[in-house]
Amino acid sequence: MAFQTEFEFTLPKGYVDEYGSLHRSGTMRLATAADEILPMKDPRVQQNPAYLTVILLARVIIKLGEVQSINPKVIEGLFSSDLAFLQDFYRRINGDGRTVLKTICPKCEYEFEVEVAGSGEV
């Protein structure tokens, strides 16, 4: 069994390119240490630490519809709901692959965990 390093996704809204074409399907690869470390040297990240997300996603998204080159400008052009989706997707595939919510039964107050599937996952 081969180790999976690439994961498909479908954006909730989709990226609209400069020609008005909508791109929703994509592929994200697992991040390397360099993906997380090297962007810290980028002046845009040094001026605004929140920009790390933009550069990081531009590095790990290897396909987005028919877009030829995934770069920070493409990530900047995403709708905020798609950016939030990709951040969650990144955490899921680079963590243990699970999103678990802790919850409490409103009747008996028993505490338990529920695993939730992310929207748009293939």
Side-chain angles (χ1 to χ4, degrees):
M1 178 175 176
F3 181 68
Q4 185 175 0
T5 60
E6 295 180 358
F7 300 84
E8 294 180 356
F9 62 83
T10 302
L11 294 175
K13 291 196 176 17
Y15 171 70
V16 180
D17 66 21
E18 59 194 30
Y19 305 105
S21 298
L22 181 65
H23 307 274
R24 292 189 63 214
S25 305
T27 306
M28 183 183 293
R29 66 169 173 78
L30 290 176
T32 63
D35 291 324
E36 295 205 356
I37 294 168
L38 294 177
M40 300 303 285
K41 295 179 181 178
D42 190 296
R44 296 169 292 185
V45 174
Q46 292 174 351
Q47 290 177 347
N48 180 2
Y51 201 76
L52 174 63
T53 298
V54 172
I55 294 179
L56 187 54
L57 289 175
R59 291 176 65 99
V60 298
I61 295 173
I62 56 175
K63 182 177 182 229
L64 182 57
E66 300 300 318
V67 177
Q68 296 298 314
S69 175
I70 311 300
N71 55 49
K73 183 175 170 68
V74 170
I75 304 303
E76 288 173 359
L78 292 170
F79 294 109
S80 61
S81 59
D82 289 332
L83 180 63
F85 167 81
L86 289 170
Q87 288 174 306
D88 179 61
F89 192 70
Y90 177 91
R91 282 190 290 274
R92 286 180 57 107
I93 70 170
N94 287 288
D96 64 3
R98 299 176 24 178
T99 297
V100 176
L101 298 176
K102 292 185 181 186
T103 189
I104 300 173
C105 175
K107 292 185 179 184
C108 69
E109 297 186 4
Y110 176 74
E111 294 184 29
F112 59 100
E113 293 181 345
V114 177
E115 184 168 353
V116 231
S119 64
E121 290 185 29
V122 178

